[in-house]
Amino acid sequence: MIIKEDFCLAPFNTFGIEALAYELSIITSINELKELYVAGELSKKLLILSKGSNILLTGHFKGLVLLNQIWGKEIAKEDDNHVYLNVSSGEFWPSLVEYTVDNGWGGLENLTDIPGKMGAAPIQNIGAYGAELRDVFVSLEAFDLTNGKLVTFNKEECEFDYRTSIFKSKFKNRYFITSVLIKLTKSPIINLSYKPLADAFKDRNIEEVTISDVSKKVAEIRESKLPNPDKLKNAGSFFKNPIIEMDKYHDLKLEYDNIPSYALKNSTYKIPAAWLIEQCGWKGKRVGNVGVHEKQALVIVKYDTATGFQILDLANSVKKSVFDKFGIDLEFEVNVV
Ligand code: EPU
């Protein structure tokens, strides 16, 4: 159990914010978590950090950061049709997807190249291009930071929903997820439910499309729309797509005939936040060293040195514009710390 002091977190958040952790411990095993628990260290203010691809640090973290570096993956079970993979929470998501695609196991290909680690994936039920983590999720193992015990959560207990789970609500900051069990298929079903993906394969015979083709296409689409955090600092979608009631939707539709929407269950509608933001004139706009991405208005980017507060200011200005124009209160997808 080594605790480092005044540790710079810049390499561990994709916005590259130069905040310090007053204390930091690198976690490579469950045993290390247990040692910290026994030593009373886990009663401090805690922050679990993996890749830091969905976080905005607004200042130094005056507590103990647990840096997740628990690696490893193994086949837990296998039958004629499925492979159950047990993946440690510190595994890098894009490498995991690549590994499954290379093995011909279907399920993760639509989620290619989402920056982040396995442990963060269930917390916000990561999703893209017509798929979500919950589609392949079986269960997870988590370390209860309040009592030092290991607990298993099945799918139902995780309460997955659009970009959320019980680990973002009731159990926020209570558990350190240590591993996740996912179920992949040996006879992949190609998922082209995301329209631009279907369009990309429209000239191909669907029977011939492989998960490797899908994975490559998803990577291409991502590359064309989303900034690579290695080149331009960002944390992906800064906002969630809002879900509105039918009455509100009809009112908006009268005023904005071209408003894009997806009808959901319970007579609600999901509206692309990017569209709302773009209508407010923010797309491609730069304020000092931060801005709204020119190709995807959901993404806030940091061009040069900027503080977390400058990014937060811009996000709040965007939020206010959308509220003033459409009466819709955007929610941050990124965790502001
Ligand atoms: N749109 C605009 N302006 C833009 C971008 C998009 O008006 O600048 C409108 C268009 O009408 C477009 C629609 O928004 O058809 C949807 O755009 P897109 O397909 O790019 O998806 P999104 O809803 O903006 C979500 C996820 C992304 C994910 C994509 C693809 C959220 C918050 N974001 O974005 O996730 O890659 O779908 O599945 O749900 C992330 O989580 O970091 C992320 C990038």
Side-chain angles (χ1 to χ4, degrees):
M1 182 186 75
I2 297 168
I3 296 185
K4 301 167 194 266
E5 290 182 359
D6 293 337
F7 192 94
C8 181
L9 296 175
F12 300 104
N13 71 95
T14 57
F15 266 125
I17 302 290
E18 304 212 343
L20 294 180
Y22 279 20
E23 293 186 316
L24 179 138
S25 185
I26 296 175
I27 308 297
T28 59
S29 69
I30 294 171
N31 268 344
E32 283 170 346
L33 285 171
K34 286 187 181 152
E35 278 175 35
L36 287 169
Y37 175 74
V38 171
E41 297 289 341
L42 299 184
S43 55
K44 292 177 175 164
K45 182 179 172 197
L46 299 175
L47 173 67
I48 301 166
L49 207 52
S50 319
K51 190 77 181 139
S53 53
N54 200 41
I55 196 172
L56 176 64
L57 296 165
T58 54
H60 298 317
F61 185 74
K62 300 176 182 130
L64 173 63
V65 170
L66 304 174
L67 191 64
N68 185 352
Q69 295 193 354
I70 307 182
W71 289 312
K73 55 183 177 305
E74 56 175 11
I75 294 178
K77 203 165 83 173
E78 191 173 356
D79 58 31
D80 289 347
N81 302 317
H82 297 105
V83 174
Y84 292 76
L85 262 194
N86 197 26
V87 186
S88 294
S89 56
E91 283 289 316
F92 187 46
W93 180 265
S95 315
L96 173 69
V97 176
E98 197 182 333
Y99 166 78
T100 61
V101 170
D102 286 351
N103 277 285
W105 302 329
L108 304 189
E109 59 282 1
N110 293 51
L111 303 174
T112 294
D113 282 352
I114 296 183
K117 290 190 174 182
M118 181 75 251
I123 296 178
Q124 63 151 356
N125 180 29
I126 56 168
Y129 309 106
E132 286 181 326
L133 178 80
R134 70 173 146 189
D135 306 335
V136 295
F137 181 92
V138 179
S139 63
L140 62 77
E141 194 182 61
F143 182 89
D144 188 336
L145 297 159
T146 66
N147 63 18
K149 296 205 168 111
L150 269 184
V151 202
T152 302
F153 284 85
N154 64 28
K155 191 172 185 170
E156 202 174 58
E157 288 164 336
C158 291
E159 296 182 9
F160 291 125
D161 209 335
Y162 166 62
R163 289 295 201 276
T164 194
S165 74
I166 200 162
F167 304 104
K168 259 190 130 172
S169 53
K170 188 168 143 198
F171 290 149
K172 192 167 183 192
N173 299 332
R174 173 154 172 190
Y175 292 94
F176 185 116
I177 294 169
T178 52
S179 63
V180 181
L181 185 65
I182 53 175
K183 182 181 176 183
L184 304 169
T185 167
K186 290 182 179 174
S187 317
I189 299 161
I190 299 300
N191 170 2
L192 301 181
S193 58
Y194 179 77
K195 178 131 187 331
L197 202 52
D199 290 348
F201 288 107
K202 68 177 186 315
D203 298 330
R204 292 269 305 269
N205 177 356
I206 178 83
E207 314 275 285
E208 286 168 9
V209 176
T210 64
I211 53 171
S212 172
D213 295 333
V214 172
S215 178
K216 280 189 199 121
K217 192 51 77 181
V218 166
E220 256 174 50
I221 297 176
R222 280 192 79 88
E223 177 108 27
S224 69
K225 286 188 179 177
L226 296 167
N228 178 344
D230 290 337
K231 295 180 190 147
L232 181 57
K233 302 292 184 194
N234 75 89
S237 299
F238 201 95
F239 304 92
K240 281 166 71 163
N241 287 330
I243 293 169
I244 59 172
E245 299 297 324
M246 188 169 16
D247 288 353
K248 174 80 186 162
Y249 172 71
H250 286 312
D251 288 349
L252 286 173
K253 183 84 181 146
L254 281 178
E255 208 173 333
Y256 306 95
D257 189 39
N258 61 340
I259 187 169
S261 64
Y262 315 96
L264 304 176
K265 291 178 227 141
N266 321 324
S267 315
T268 54
Y269 290 81
K270 195 194 268 183
I271 311 291
W275 185 85
L276 300 169
I277 297 167
E278 188 173 341
Q279 299 308 303
C280 293
W282 280 105
K283 192 168 177 176
K285 217 172 192 179
R286 180 170 172 165
V287 180
N289 280 338
V290 296
V292 173
H293 189 52
E294 57 184 6
K295 291 190 190 140
Q296 169 50 289
L298 258 187
V299 181
I300 292 189
V301 292
K302 173 173 156 272
Y303 292 101
D304 207 330
T305 314
T307 64
F309 271 115
Q310 284 164 328
I311 294 171
L312 187 60
D313 270 352
L314 179 73
N316 279 324
S317 301
V318 168
K319 194 173 147 81
K320 184 172 181 310
S321 303
V322 169
F323 188 77
D324 291 347
K325 190 170 169 72
F326 297 101
I328 293 178
D329 195 13
L330 289 185
E331 219 182 295
F332 294 159
E333 197 211 84
V334 163
N335 294 308
V336 179
V337 174

